Amino acid sequence: MIELAGIERDFTVGDEVVRALDQVSLTLPDGDYVSVMGPSGSGKSTLLNVLGLLDRPNDGSYRLHGEETTRLPEEARAALRRDHIGFVFQAFHLVPRLSAADNIGLPLVLAGVEPHARDARIHEVLESLDLLDRAHHRPDQLSGGQRQRVAIGRAVVMRPGLLLADEPTGNLDQHAGSEVVALLEQLNASGITLVVVTHDPTIGQRARRRIRMVDGQIANDSGADAHA
Amino acid sequence: MRTPDLLRFASSSLAGARTRTLLMLLAMSIGVASVVVLTALGEGARRYVTGQFAQLGTHLLIMLPGRSETTGGAPPLFGQTPRDLTLDDAMALLRARSILRVAPLTVGNAPVSRGSRDREVTVIGATYDFFPIRHLSVGSGQPLPLIDPQRSVNVAVLGSGLRRELFGSASALGQWIRINDRRFRVIGILSQGGESLGQNLDDMVVVPVAAAQSLFNAPSLFRVLIQARSGQDIERAKTAARDIIRERHDGEDDVTLITQDALLGTFDKILRALTYTVGGIAGISLAVAGILIMNVMLVAVSQRVAEIGLLKALGASERQVLRLFLVEAVMLASAGAALGVVIGIGGILLLAQLFPAFPIAAPLWAPLAAVAVAVGTGLVFGVMPARRAARFDPVRALTGR
Ligand SMILES: Nc1ncnc2c1ncn2[C@@H]1O[C@H](COP(=O)(O)OP(=O)(O)O)[C@@H](O)[C@H]1O
Ligand SMILES: [Mg+2]
């Protein structure tokens, strides 16, 4: 369960203050499937970063599984990110010198998981992604769709409850994009809460719950009534 | 994060930037190697000088007429001139149990000739004991005769260079030469290479001390070499020698005694200081290497902003990112230091091959200190880039803002 209440996020550029998030309140039950759409600069990425504990709001409350996160020290927020949250980026952000398997294993390495348990888990993930034969390829030896699948594997290798994807198909062609969406939906079907920021209406429409943002505010939320 | 994983991740990022890594290794290893080689040269110089002193003679005391200013003491009240240091004074020293041998010396320059060839050379007046005290060996013939030092006998032992100049390929033993128009018979030739502390005995001639005194009309000795019975006896011999001379000179303390050990100690101190200085100067190149490491790590950090953001998004804490970059810098420095020690030792072995006479040797502390400084440098200069990396805002890092 995720509860945002009265979230504000301001950025100061020169002497101008940009309000990227303006009084955003949102409740996501576990296993929800949400798409976030809206014009460029409307605060979608900022919302995702706040949800992922990468960014700290200036004001408001963010409770993750009942725990207030906005006042936690950085170390504790890093631990929450590691254990409960997975990120998927438009630009994949794979480490170029590491193989697909090592990229997927990176969160396990950071968490100090033993090599034996780690290898078993990486194998499991590679298998579910149908990428076993690409395990030792480096990112530059993979197609865009494969890279994004590796990135998704890395996002879920710690079995997080929340998966955040910021325009995950933005750098992919139609075919690879729908494969990636199918994979994300499959993960959601197995219980993970999924939030996808997208520009693509056909992808956005697939979500159970659709949020539209304008100027840092939630202009429309198809699921708002259900959870009010 | 487990330590092996930390090391593996750091080495993978070092391997990823090969050129940069190699350049850094080069800078660090040159720094360490120069510390190792230069201190080894300094240490070699120290050993060389120590060896030269050992050649001069063992357990040696040198007595000079006149009171050295540096030994302190009030100036004489009645303005006496120092008494001569005579042959009798010198021989009286043998009364002391702690004194094994005594060699009274008179030194002067005089023309030495044979037939039409002549040269101005240094003439040393000495006794039989001069040879064992100075470790001089006679190549052919014999040393000065073992006679009463007061007896003036006109015989001479030639340095090998002087022999060559006067006699060429002809035999010199038993032949006559002239020193200051007095005839001396050649009874021995010194072995070649009788060199100590820059004095080359090859071009000198040694005659009995009484003969030299009459040649130069010098009643006072130039100095007296005193050999103590053992290392422990040096101090005792010094006291005894001073007492005997004081007694003979009506209570005046008018000679100067120098122990070889004191001289040696001074040289030793100077050369050690020199070694430290040279090592320190070479150490500056380590600091330069450290600054290079900092620079390169800063570049690495700015090139890997997205990676740092990613690591944070994946749950790495600031401390973990800090540690990653620090480990990278220290690994780089350590590898460079290890390489530098290998290069330095290689350089020393090479120099030892090229100059076998020079006792080059790395003092043990030098490579240890160099490696410690190198690793410390990596740590210190790695902190700033690592902190910068750790403090990156992950959102900005990932979006490249
Ligand atoms: N780090 C930042 N510094 C300054 N302004 C920012 C920063 N991040 C976002 N913004 C501003 O906040 C607003 C929302 O940005 P963002 O959430 O990235 O929009 P979206 O993802 O919907 O395109 C924009 O006006 C953007 O310029
Ligand atoms: Mg965006």
Side-chain angles (χ1 to χ4, degrees):
Chain A
M1 182 76 122
I2 288 166
E3 296 153 290
L4 298 185
I7 292 290
E8 304 238 324
R9 180 67 176 108
D10 295 337
F11 291 106
T12 314
V13 182
D15 26 50
E16 213 177 318
V17 175
V18 179
R19 181 146 296 181
L21 292 179
D22 186 4
Q23 287 298 322
V24 170
S25 298
L26 183 64
T27 302
L28 303 179
D30 288 345
D32 212 351
Y33 175 12
V34 186
S35 69
V36 181
M37 301 191 36
S40 187
S42 57
K44 306 181 296 292
S45 295
T46 305
L47 174 63
L48 215 63
N49 292 332
V50 167
L51 280 172
L53 297 173
L54 272 182
D55 204 354
R56 216 189 269 265
N58 299 82
D59 197 13
S61 150
Y62 172 11
R63 297 164 76 82
L64 179 63
H65 303 309
E67 187 182 9
E68 178 57 53
T69 63
T70 49
R71 281 182 294 275
L72 285 178
E74 197 43 51
E75 296 283 299
R77 288 164 59 90
L80 282 177
R81 271 199 306 270
R82 188 185 68 199
D83 297 331
H84 299 293
I85 297 163
F87 279 99
V88 177
F89 308 97
Q90 176 175 358
F92 319 137
H93 285 309
L94 298 177
V95 180
R97 61 179 182 277
L98 298 182
S99 68
D102 284 344
N103 265 293
I104 290 172
L106 201 48
L108 300 168
V109 167
L110 290 172
V113 176
E114 289 296 318
H116 196 73
R118 206 158 71 200
D119 291 346
R121 180 73 189 125
I122 292 170
H123 187 89
E124 213 175 288
V125 169
L126 280 169
E127 199 165 31
S128 71
L129 295 172
D130 199 19
L131 281 173
L132 270 179
D133 54 337
R134 294 283 183 273
H136 301 295
H137 288 54
R138 275 187 324 211
D140 57 5
Q141 298 163 322
L142 298 173
S143 73
Q146 286 169 333
R147 283 184 218 181
Q148 196 59 302
R149 267 146 67 203
V150 169
I152 292 170
R154 181 182 61 194
V156 298
V157 75
M158 291 287 290
R159 297 198 176 90
L162 176 61
L163 184 56
L164 305 170
D166 196 348
E167 309 201 21
T169 61
N171 283 5
L172 300 177
D173 61 38
Q174 182 86 41
H175 175 72
S178 47
E179 263 186 13
V180 162
V181 170
L183 177 59
L184 291 173
E185 289 179 351
Q186 183 192 323
L187 288 163
N188 172 249
S190 65
I192 201 166
T193 307
L194 175 63
V195 182
V196 184
V197 169
T198 183
H199 270 121
D200 185 339
T202 53
I203 293 173
Q205 292 309 318
R206 295 175 66 91
R208 237 188 333 275
R209 178 174 174 190
R210 296 165 299 279
I211 291 174
R212 181 166 180 77
M213 293 202 64
V214 177
D215 287 343
Q217 294 181 319
I218 295 182
N220 197 291
D221 181 354
S222 73
D225 310 329
H227 301 287
Chain B
M1 199 165 175
R2 300 163 65 255
T3 310
D5 290 330
L6 192 63
L7 296 179
R8 214 162 58 99
F9 191 85
S11 45
S12 88
S13 47
L14 286 176
R18 196 147 302 163
T19 316
R20 191 169 66 203
T21 302
L22 286 180
L23 277 175
M24 289 313 313
L25 284 180
L26 194 66
M28 195 44 108
S29 59
I30 287 174
V32 170
S34 55
V35 168
V36 171
V37 170
L38 288 176
T39 52
L41 283 173
E43 174 70 9
R46 194 181 70 80
R47 290 190 184 190
Y48 180 75
V49 169
T50 313
Q52 290 286 309
F53 269 99
Q55 263 184 36
L56 189 64
T58 36
H59 317 321
L60 198 62
L61 276 167
I62 300 168
M63 180 184 282
L64 291 76
R67 178 95 201 204
S68 154
E69 294 298 325
T70 54
T71 57
L77 275 177
F78 300 103
Q80 301 134 307
T81 49
R83 282 166 181 262
D84 290 343
L85 185 57
T86 65
L87 263 177
D88 285 335
D89 289 338
M91 298 331 285
L93 296 174
L94 284 171
R95 288 200 327 243
R97 271 194 41 76
S98 50
I99 292 175
L100 178 66
R101 292 193 182 100
V102 163
L105 294 184
T106 295
V107 175
N109 284 326
V112 174
S113 62
R114 180 217 166 217
S116 58
R117 309 184 191 203
D118 83 89
R119 275 202 59 193
E120 182 86 8
V121 299
T122 302
V123 179
I124 299 174
T127 58
Y128 174 85
D129 276 348
F130 177 62
F131 293 80
I133 289 179
R134 287 287 301 261
H135 300 314
L136 293 176
S137 66
V138 176
S140 59
Q142 50 201 346
L144 293 178
L146 191 49
I147 50 168
D148 175 3
Q150 299 285 6
R151 268 188 64 198
S152 174
V153 182
N154 286 5
V155 293
V157 177
L158 296 184
S160 58
L162 184 59
R163 188 211 69 85
R164 214 174 310 116
E165 287 196 32
L166 294 180
F167 291 92
S169 54
S171 164
L173 284 181
Q175 302 295 311
W176 292 87
I177 57 171
R178 279 181 179 279
I179 305 174
N180 251 2
D181 293 329
R182 291 193 199 181
R183 276 154 49 87
F184 284 77
R185 200 156 65 83
V186 177
I187 58 166
I189 314 294
L190 287 173
S191 303
Q192 206 168 348
E195 183 182 343
S196 59
L197 282 182
Q199 272 182 301
N200 193 343
L201 295 178
D202 278 355
D203 291 330
M204 297 187 184
V205 53
V206 186
V207 301
V209 61
Q213 281 188 314
S214 87
L215 264 179
F216 299 122
N217 193 21
S220 183
L221 294 171
F222 172 62
R223 55 191 57 179
V224 181
L225 302 184
I226 301 166
Q227 187 174 26
R229 223 165 261 285
S230 69
Q232 292 95 315
D233 278 327
I234 292 177
E235 274 312 304
R236 229 168 295 154
K238 191 175 176 183
T239 318
R242 193 178 293 290
D243 288 346
I244 289 168
I245 298 301
R246 194 188 295 117
E247 185 190 305
R248 294 177 60 85
H249 289 192
D250 302 326
E252 279 310 317
D253 221 355
D254 58 2
V255 291
T256 302
L257 279 158
I258 303 168
T259 59
Q260 187 195 180
D261 296 21
L263 259 180
L264 181 57
T266 309
F267 270 101
D268 197 69
K269 247 188 259 168
I270 292 171
L271 288 164
R272 260 181 218 282
L274 184 77
T275 304
Y276 293 140
T277 310
V278 170
I281 290 169
I284 292 173
S285 63
L286 282 181
V288 172
I291 292 167
L292 262 174
I293 284 198
M294 175 164 75
N295 214 358
V296 162
M297 290 304 295
L298 281 174
V299 172
V301 166
S302 57
Q303 280 178 351
R304 281 156 64 191
V305 171
E307 182 185 323
I308 295 162
L310 171 77
L311 291 174
K312 287 195 158 183
L314 297 181
S317 63
E318 282 190 13
R319 228 176 329 153
Q320 258 180 328
V321 174
L322 181 82
R323 209 175 308 147
L324 265 175
F325 278 84
L326 261 190
V327 163
E328 223 172 279
V330 170
M331 268 176 87
L332 203 54
S334 314
L339 192 64
V341 168
V342 170
I343 294 175
I345 289 174
I348 291 171
L349 292 179
L350 184 71
L351 286 172
Q353 285 279 317
L354 293 177
F355 308 102
F358 188 74
I360 189 168
L364 184 64
W365 59 264
L368 293 181
V371 170
V373 170
V375 174
T377 308
L379 200 63
V380 168
F381 287 101
V383 165
M384 211 250 268
R387 282 167 80 120
R388 178 175 289 192
R391 293 202 178 140
F392 262 123
D393 171 10
V395 175
R396 298 182 60 175
L398 283 167
T399 53
R401 265 186 226 258

